[in-house]
Amino acid sequence: MDDTHLNHNQNMDSHSMDSHPVHEVINHEQFEEMRDLLEEDFADLVQTYLTDSQKRIDSLRVAQVAGDNANGFEAAHALKGASANLGATQLVTLSGQLQEACRAHQISHSATVIEHLSEALHHVEQQIYQRLAL
Protein backbone atom coordinates (compact mmCIF):
# COMPACT_ATOMS: atom_id res chain seq x y z
CA MET A 1 0.00 0.00 0.00
CA ASP A 2 1.51 3.36 -0.98
CA ASP A 3 1.51 6.56 1.08
CA THR A 4 -1.24 8.18 -1.01
CA HIS A 5 -3.61 5.30 -0.28
CA LEU A 6 -2.68 5.37 3.41
CA ASN A 7 -3.42 9.09 3.69
CA HIS A 8 -6.74 8.60 1.93
CA ASN A 9 -7.74 5.96 4.49
CA GLN A 10 -6.71 8.21 7.38
CA ASN A 11 -8.83 11.01 5.96
CA MET A 12 -11.78 8.67 5.58
CA ASP A 13 -11.36 7.50 9.17
CA SER A 14 -11.35 11.02 10.56
CA HIS A 15 -14.36 11.90 8.41
CA SER A 16 -16.32 8.88 9.59
CA MET A 17 -15.59 9.85 13.20
CA ASP A 18 -17.35 13.15 12.55
CA SER A 19 -20.52 11.43 11.35
CA HIS A 20 -20.43 8.81 14.16
CA PRO A 21 -19.26 10.47 17.37
CA VAL A 22 -16.63 8.60 19.33
CA HIS A 23 -18.66 9.26 22.49
CA GLU A 24 -21.90 7.89 21.06
CA VAL A 25 -23.97 6.71 24.03
CA ILE A 26 -26.41 4.46 22.15
CA ASN A 27 -26.17 3.23 18.58
CA HIS A 28 -29.49 4.31 17.11
CA GLU A 29 -29.74 1.50 14.54
CA GLN A 30 -29.01 -1.26 17.08
CA PHE A 31 -31.44 0.21 19.61
CA GLU A 32 -34.27 0.53 17.08
CA GLU A 33 -33.60 -2.94 15.67
CA MET A 34 -34.03 -4.45 19.14
CA ARG A 35 -37.11 -2.30 19.76
CA ASP A 36 -38.70 -3.50 16.51
CA LEU A 37 -37.81 -7.11 17.25
CA LEU A 38 -39.28 -7.18 20.76
CA GLU A 39 -42.19 -4.77 20.20
CA GLU A 40 -44.31 -4.58 23.38
CA ASP A 41 -41.73 -6.57 25.39
CA PHE A 42 -39.05 -3.96 24.75
CA ALA A 43 -39.90 -1.72 27.73
CA ASP A 44 -39.63 -4.74 30.05
CA LEU A 45 -36.26 -5.67 28.55
CA VAL A 46 -35.01 -2.12 29.06
CA GLN A 47 -36.08 -2.08 32.72
CA THR A 48 -34.42 -5.46 33.32
CA TYR A 49 -31.28 -4.28 31.52
CA LEU A 50 -31.02 -1.12 33.62
CA THR A 51 -31.61 -2.97 36.91
CA ASP A 52 -29.21 -5.79 36.04
CA SER A 53 -26.56 -3.37 34.77
CA GLN A 54 -26.58 -1.44 38.03
CA LYS A 55 -26.23 -4.72 39.96
CA ARG A 56 -23.29 -5.68 37.74
CA ILE A 57 -21.59 -2.36 38.36
CA ASP A 58 -22.11 -2.88 42.09
CA SER A 59 -20.56 -6.36 41.71
CA LEU A 60 -17.63 -4.81 39.85
CA ARG A 61 -17.04 -2.39 42.70
CA VAL A 62 -17.03 -5.26 45.21
CA ALA A 63 -14.70 -7.30 42.96
CA GLN A 64 -12.39 -4.30 42.54
CA VAL A 65 -12.05 -3.75 46.29
CA ALA A 66 -11.52 -7.50 46.88
CA GLY A 67 -9.12 -7.88 43.95
CA ASP A 68 -11.47 -10.58 42.58
CA ASN A 69 -10.56 -10.76 38.90
CA ALA A 70 -12.71 -13.85 38.19
CA ASN A 71 -15.98 -12.31 39.39
CA GLY A 72 -14.99 -8.97 37.90
CA PHE A 73 -14.49 -10.62 34.53
CA GLU A 74 -17.88 -12.36 34.73
CA ALA A 75 -19.70 -9.13 35.62
CA ALA A 76 -17.89 -7.15 32.90
CA HIS A 77 -18.59 -9.88 30.34
CA ALA A 78 -22.31 -9.99 31.18
CA LEU A 79 -22.56 -6.20 31.10
CA LYS A 80 -20.77 -6.05 27.77
CA GLY A 81 -23.11 -8.58 26.15
CA ALA A 82 -26.30 -7.00 27.45
CA SER A 83 -25.08 -3.54 26.46
CA ALA A 84 -24.21 -4.73 22.96
CA ASN A 85 -27.77 -5.98 22.49
CA LEU A 86 -29.11 -2.48 23.12
CA GLY A 87 -26.34 -0.68 21.26
CA ALA A 88 -24.92 0.96 24.40
CA THR A 89 -21.54 1.54 22.77
CA GLN A 90 -19.71 3.27 25.65
CA LEU A 91 -20.70 0.51 28.04
CA VAL A 92 -19.49 -2.12 25.58
CA THR A 93 -16.12 -0.38 25.26
CA LEU A 94 -15.64 0.17 28.98
CA SER A 95 -16.78 -3.37 29.84
CA GLY A 96 -14.25 -4.69 27.34
CA GLN A 97 -11.52 -2.65 29.04
CA LEU A 98 -12.50 -4.16 32.38
CA GLN A 99 -12.44 -7.66 30.93
CA GLU A 100 -8.89 -7.03 29.74
CA ALA A 101 -7.91 -5.64 33.15
CA CYS A 102 -9.30 -8.77 34.81
CA ARG A 103 -7.42 -11.01 32.38
CA ALA A 104 -4.25 -9.15 33.39
CA HIS A 105 -5.19 -9.51 37.09
CA GLN A 106 -5.51 -5.73 37.36
CA ILE A 107 -9.07 -5.23 38.62
CA SER A 108 -7.75 -3.77 41.88
CA HIS A 109 -6.38 -0.87 39.78
CA SER A 110 -9.60 -0.34 37.81
CA ALA A 111 -11.74 1.84 40.10
CA THR A 112 -11.67 4.72 37.61
CA VAL A 113 -12.94 2.55 34.75
CA ILE A 114 -15.74 1.24 36.97
CA GLU A 115 -16.77 4.81 37.83
CA HIS A 116 -16.74 5.68 34.12
CA LEU A 117 -19.00 2.65 33.58
CA SER A 118 -21.39 3.92 36.23
CA GLU A 119 -21.49 7.36 34.59
CA ALA A 120 -22.00 5.80 31.16
CA LEU A 121 -24.91 3.72 32.49
CA HIS A 122 -26.49 6.91 33.82
CA HIS A 123 -26.20 8.51 30.35
CA VAL A 124 -27.64 5.39 28.71
CA GLU A 125 -30.57 5.43 31.13
CA GLN A 126 -31.26 9.09 30.34
CA GLN A 127 -31.16 8.46 26.60
CA ILE A 128 -33.37 5.39 26.84
CA TYR A 129 -35.98 7.31 28.84
CA GLN A 130 -35.87 10.12 26.29
CA ARG A 131 -36.29 7.66 23.42
CA LEU A 132 -39.14 5.84 25.12
CA ALA A 133 -40.61 9.07 26.52
CA LEU A 134 -40.72 7.61 30.04
Side-chain angles (χ1 to χ4, degrees), residues 21-110:
V22 174
H23 298 293
E24 173 183 64
V25 176
I26 297 176
N27 177 280
H28 177 74
E29 291 81 15
Q30 178 67 31
F31 185 85
E32 292 303 323
E33 185 177 303
M34 187 62 71
R35 182 191 240 178
D36 291 345
L37 182 68
L38 295 177
E39 298 173 349
E40 67 273 356
D41 294 329
F42 186 69
D44 289 339
L45 170 96
V46 165
Q47 286 304 320
T48 300
Y49 166 76
L50 292 172
T51 301
D52 288 353
S53 295
Q54 187 56 59
K55 288 177 185 173
R56 288 180 178 128
I57 289 172
D58 292 343
S59 295
L60 284 165
R61 287 183 175 124
V62 170
Q64 188 270 323
V65 169
D68 187 345
N69 290 287
N71 283 326
F73 182 88
E74 283 183 33
H77 181 74
L79 184 58
K80 183 179 175 183
S83 298
N85 286 336
L86 278 180
T89 54
Q90 284 181 323
L91 286 168
V92 170
T93 300
L94 291 167
S95 297
Q97 289 175 8
L98 272 175
Q99 281 182 291
E100 292 305 314
C102 291
R103 279 191 188 110
H105 303 284
Q106 295 292 314
I107 194 166
S108 59
H109 304 293
S110 300

